Amino acid sequence: MLCPQCDMLVALPPLAYGSKAVCPRCKTTLSSRWEEPRKRPIGYALSALFMLVLANIFPFINMRVAGLGNEIKLIQIPQVMVAEDYASMATLFMVFVQLIPAFCMVAIILLCAKVPIPTGLKEWMAKMLFQFKTWCMVEIFLAGVLVSFVKLMAYGDIGVGSSFVPYCLFCLLQVCAFQCVDRRWLWNDIKPAPRLDRPMEVGRTGLRQGLRSCQCCTAILPAELTQCPRCHSRGYVRRRHSLQWTMALLLTSILLYIPANLMPIMVTEALGNKLTSTIMAGVILLWGEGSYPVAMVIFIASIMVPSLKMLAIGWLCWDANGTGKARADSERMHLIYEVVEFVGRWSMIDVFVIAVLSALVRMGQLMSIYPDIGALLFAMVVILTMFAAMTFDPRLTWDRVNETIKKEPQGDGK
């Protein structure tokens, strides 16, 4: 198997149940083996869908201020935002918190249960499943809800409804379902990998052997073959114009990041007075009220992470254009890439906080909260930086390392 992160050809050893194969060069998990590889993800996914239905049926959270109360269901959050002409924010909520996670759970059930559906549909669902995985932001929304609780405690009594626990369980179960689905096993179950009639040397990169890995189904293909015969995805030895696309998306996100921090993200209306708030103003307010942990969470997620992520992506692009490097340099850059890819989406926490506040705090002239243009701009910054990280080809950081590793991938127990 060609490592999707560093392009090293490794021979996968037989895996025991509960173990995984790790690339000896970049330490990327290549494959894993679970006991009951069909029943386990199906059980998790079915349970997750059931919990999602319960979470949308019953009240989610409630608030009471000066004798006035309001409660909302999960499904009402986008409805309230659409009614207030914030359809863009409602769309982001529905797509990232409801639709994509639900689709992924359905896809896991249909693919693992071997439901008799056309092969083309199976291939499409498998493609979408792994592409959408990054965009499932259920746990980020849950963190945003908890931050909202702390923000609102200063104004009134906050309570959780009967659907809050099912939603927490949905968050946990969908993570477990994703963890139990191995990309390589799933694609081999859909269709066998194409045969490659040429010698391959373990421990050398595919680039130096005239080979490439299909980024969709992990099949090993000749470098000159642009369309994978198994999943029909188009690809190349390296992502075409990877650095150009990454830099274009990065520069666009930087241009949006400036007004996103200067313009208000939220408007609070209390007793007829309107107060606008930027991201930094919200952090300062929380700090002044003594909510130090929450202020730090918002500051890290909304200020530090986007800024450092943009710097890191720029550094990765600059490094990929270098002329030569030692293996230690590539290992360091690969670690930076993995951190960027993991933490980037957590910046959406502030957007979800605003979504919860604007849907829950609707008490007329007494107190109401509305999202503002800064929230949408900030959401676009997060989305663009996520796309920038996706378009960057991490194999570029390893291409100039003149090392050959001739050993089996490491097997780790889970």
Side-chain angles (χ1 to χ4, degrees):
M1 179 178 179
L2 285 172
C3 176
Q5 299 292 322
C6 71
D7 200 38
M8 180 67 68
L9 182 65
V10 294
L12 296 180
L15 296 177
Y17 288 122
S19 62
K20 61 183 179 181
V22 179
C23 175
R25 182 157 78 156
C26 68
K27 306 300 183 286
T28 298
T29 298
L30 301 177
S31 184
S32 58
R33 188 183 183 192
W34 293 88
E35 195 171 358
E36 301 290 354
R38 296 188 189 279
K39 294 180 181 179
R40 188 187 292 258
I42 290 173
Y44 283 136
L46 278 173
S47 302
L49 284 176
F50 180 67
M51 291 300 161
L52 181 61
V53 172
L54 292 180
N56 280 279
I57 292 177
F58 300 105
F60 187 57
I61 52 178
N62 57 73
M63 179 181 182
R64 182 168 292 276
V65 179
L68 296 177
N70 187 28
E71 69 175 12
I72 57 169
K73 297 178 181 178
L74 197 63
I75 196 64
Q76 289 177 325
I77 295 177
Q79 293 175 355
V80 171
M81 288 189 285
V82 169
E84 296 291 341
D85 295 328
Y86 295 105
S88 54
M89 294 283 291
T91 302
L92 293 177
F93 173 85
M94 282 299 298
V95 171
F96 295 148
V97 179
Q98 297 265 39
L99 297 180
I100 288 181
F103 169 82
C104 290
M105 295 302 102
V106 172
I108 288 174
I109 294 169
L110 295 178
L111 293 173
C112 293
K114 294 187 74 69
V115 176
I117 56 178
T119 304
L121 181 58
K122 283 186 178 181
E123 294 172 358
W124 178 81
M125 293 182 73
K127 288 180 188 178
M128 293 299 103
L129 173 63
F130 294 105
Q131 288 180 7
F132 283 165
K133 182 178 179 181
T134 304
W135 300 98
C136 288
M137 300 187 181
V138 178
E139 65 276 18
I140 302 174
F141 172 72
L142 184 59
V145 172
L146 299 178
V147 171
S148 302
F149 286 173
V150 178
K151 280 192 170 187
L152 292 174
M153 282 179 182
Y155 302 101
D157 298 325
I158 309 299
V160 297
S162 51
S163 71
F164 184 78
V165 173
Y167 188 80
C168 294
L169 292 175
F170 167 66
C171 177
L172 177 63
L173 290 166
Q174 63 99 25
V175 171
C176 293
F178 275 124
Q179 189 178 16
C180 292
V181 178
D182 180 66
R183 183 194 294 257
R184 181 172 171 271
W185 173 86
L186 184 63
W187 274 106
N188 286 338
D189 189 63
I190 295 174
K191 187 186 292 186
R195 294 181 59 86
L196 190 65
D197 297 326
R198 67 168 65 180
M200 295 183 290
E201 183 180 347
V202 173
R204 295 190 66 201
T205 62
L207 181 66
R208 295 173 183 173
Q209 300 185 66
L211 304 173
R212 75 172 183 90
S213 172
C214 176
Q215 294 294 295
C216 178
C217 70
T218 73
I220 301 177
L221 307 171
E224 63 274 8
L225 188 63
T226 58
Q227 187 175 47
C228 176
R230 176 160 70 170
C231 66
H232 307 292
S233 298
R234 295 188 65 84
Y236 302 88
V237 176
R238 296 293 179 266
R239 291 174 189 163
R240 300 190 75 184
H241 311 301
S242 170
L243 296 181
Q244 292 89 332
W245 273 107
T246 303
M247 287 303 299
L249 291 166
L250 176 61
L251 291 175
T252 306
S253 64
I254 292 173
L255 291 176
L256 290 176
Y257 187 60
I258 298 171
N261 279 276
L262 296 177
M263 301 183 74
I265 62 170
M266 187 172 66
V267 178
T268 303
E269 187 177 295
L271 300 176
N273 297 319
K274 287 187 177 181
L275 174 66
T276 59
S277 174
T278 61
I279 297 175
M280 197 63 202
V283 172
I284 295 172
L285 179 63
L286 286 169
W287 189 272
E289 292 176 349
S291 301
Y292 304 122
V294 179
M296 288 300 298
V297 168
I298 297 298
F299 178 76
I300 292 172
S302 301
I303 303 294
M304 283 187 61
V305 168
S307 302
L308 294 177
K309 182 178 181 179
M310 288 185 281
L311 288 173
I313 292 174
W315 188 11
L316 286 168
C317 292
W318 175 81
D319 177 80
N321 265 327
T323 56
K325 63 177 77 174
R327 182 185 172 190
D329 296 329
S330 293
E331 290 175 346
R332 181 177 64 249
M333 300 310 297
H334 180 72
L335 176 61
I336 292 173
Y337 172 77
E338 287 189 324
V339 171
V340 164
E341 197 175 38
F342 174 75
V343 304
R345 64 197 193 107
W346 280 90
S347 297
M348 285 292 288
I349 188 172
D350 215 15
V351 177
F352 292 139
V353 167
I354 296 169
V356 173
L357 294 178
S358 60
L360 181 61
V361 185
R362 281 285 188 270
M363 299 177 183
Q365 291 296 316
L366 179 62
M367 187 178 183
S368 295
I369 294 178
Y370 308 93
D372 211 338
I373 185 64
L376 181 59
L377 291 175
F378 185 76
M380 294 305 299
V381 170
V382 178
I383 292 170
L384 286 171
T385 52
M386 289 177 66
F387 275 123
M390 290 176 181
T391 56
F392 179 79
D393 194 335
R395 294 169 295 184
L396 296 174
T397 64
W398 294 93
D399 281 346
R400 288 174 299 279
V401 178
N402 297 317
E403 288 193 32
T404 301
I405 299 177
K406 296 183 178 180
K407 62 179 180 180
E408 299 292 319
Q410 301 171 7
D412 295 337
K414 292 182 180 176

